[in-house]
Amino acid sequence: MPPKPDLKSIVAGIHADLAPRFGEGKVADYIPQLARVDPRRFGLAVVTLEGETFLAGDAELPFSIQSISKALMLTLALGRHGETIWRRVGREPSGSAFNSIVQLEAESGIPRNPFINAGAIVVTDTLLAGHTPREAIAEIVRFVRFLADEEGIVTDKAVARSEEATGDRNRALAHFMHSFGTLKHPVDHVLGVYFHHCALAMSCRQLAKAGLFLANNGRNPVTGHSVISSARARRINALMLTCGHYDGSGDFAYRVGLPGKSGVGGGILAIAPGHASIAVWSPGLDATGNSLLGSIALEMLANRAGWSVFGH
C-alpha cells in the first residue's frame, strides 16, 4: 500500500502554486449572469471517504454548478427509470461542442451522451414523468440536498432567468428532438426544469460532499445513505471519464486520470474512487469550455496524491 497522501499540505500547496495565475481563462459570457463573476475566484475542496475535509481559497463560496448538475441528474434518472433511459440517449463521446445540433440530425434525434446539452435535456425529460415542472424542480433540489447532506442548497433564480433569456440554442435542440419523438413532454416544461437544475448554486465543499457516493460504490460513507447501486456508480464514473469534459474529455483523462464533470460556471467535480470526492472552482474557461485552472489544479492533485483510475 502506498503511504497516505498529506492532503492538507497538497491542497494548500496547489492553492499557493496557482495563486499567481488566478484570473486566467475566459469567463462564460453568453449567459449574462455568469459574466458578472469575479474571474480571480478560486476554490478547492477534497472530502475523503473518512469524512475528512480539506479546503483552500473560495471553497465555501456558492457558484453556479451548470453542467455538473448533469451527473447528479443522471444519477436521479437511473434511480427512477433504470437502464431504460439508454433507449433515448447514447453513451459515446461526442467530439462536438456541448451545444451542437449536427449529430442529432445524423443520428435521428438520439443524443450521443447524457452530458452534452441535448442528452441532459432528454434526461431532464425523464425526470418530468408524472410531475409538473415545479414538482420536478423541487424533487431535484431535495435530491441534491440529500446527496450533500446540506439543507441550504438552492437554485440561483437570477441565473435561471438569464439562461432562459439566452437559451435559443437549447430550445432548438429540444424542438428538434421533440420532432423525432425523443422528448415526451412539452419543450417549455422540459427546458424550465433544465435551466433550473443547471442554475443550482453550491460551494466546492458542498459539491465535493454531494459527489462522495461516486467514490464509494454508490453509498455515502459519511451519512451511510445508499444512493445508487455500485454497478451504476461505476458506470456514471465511466461516463464522466469519457464524456464529462465535452470534446476536452480525452485530454482531461490523459492528464488527470480521474472521472470528472465540468460546468461553464468554472466548476469541476472529480472522483478518486476509493479515496475522495474533489470539487474545484475557477471561473476562467479554456477553449473547450472547461475551467482552465481547475483542470490544472486537478492534474496537480492527482499527481501529488498518487490518485488515478489507471494505477499509481
Side-chain angles (χ1 to χ4, degrees), residues 75-302:
T75 304
L76 183 56
L78 282 169
R80 278 187 60 184
H81 301 291
E83 303 297 302
T84 60
I85 67 169
W86 302 123
R87 295 173 194 161
R88 291 162 61 189
V89 61
R91 298 192 293 266
E92 295 296 331
S94 68
S96 300
F98 57 85
N99 57 0
S100 171
I101 200 168
V102 175
Q103 281 172 338
L104 277 180
E105 183 157 29
E107 296 172 10
S108 305
I110 303 292
R112 274 285 174 96
N113 67 68
F115 295 154
I116 54 174
N117 287 19
I121 289 167
V122 173
V123 170
T124 303
D125 185 67
T126 72
L127 296 177
L128 259 171
H131 290 309
T132 65
R134 188 182 293 272
E135 289 167 345
I137 293 165
E139 184 190 26
I140 286 165
V141 172
R142 276 197 306 272
F143 179 65
V144 175
R145 287 173 177 173
F146 162 75
L147 291 180
D149 195 31
E150 300 235 351
E151 282 303 307
I153 296 166
V154 294
T155 289
D156 185 328
K157 290 188 167 45
V159 172
R161 281 195 299 271
S162 194
E163 292 200 54
E164 205 146 356
T166 56
D168 287 342
R169 180 70 70 99
N170 286 320
R171 281 190 192 87
L173 293 170
H175 281 293
F176 199 68
M177 290 188 292
H178 199 271
S179 75
F180 280 101
T182 309
L183 296 186
K184 310 299 183 191
H185 298 88
V187 165
D188 286 351
H189 290 189
V190 179
L191 288 179
V193 177
Y194 174 76
F195 292 141
H196 274 80
H197 70 66
C198 287
L200 281 162
M202 297 174 74
S203 68
C204 289
R205 182 184 59 78
Q206 290 171 329
L207 192 54
K209 283 176 69 180
L212 202 54
F213 74 97
L214 288 171
N216 190 53
N217 300 312
R219 188 178 64 83
N220 185 317
V222 176
T223 63
H225 294 149
S226 183
V227 178
I228 204 163
S229 73
S230 60
R232 285 196 179 132
R234 278 201 309 276
R235 287 165 178 165
I236 293 166
N237 282 334
L239 284 164
M240 286 170 70
L241 186 76
T242 55
C243 308
H245 281 71
Y246 313 120
D247 45 340
S249 298
D251 186 61
F252 186 83
Y254 179 84
R255 291 193 296 111
V256 179
L258 297 174
K261 183 71 200 85
S262 70
V264 295
I268 304 174
L269 171 66
I271 305 299
H275 298 290
S277 174
I278 308 131
V280 64
W281 174 47
S282 177
L285 308 180
D286 63 18
T288 52
N290 301 306
S291 175
L292 178 66
L293 293 187
S295 298
I296 294 169
L298 288 168
E299 185 177 5
M300 288 175 165
L301 180 67

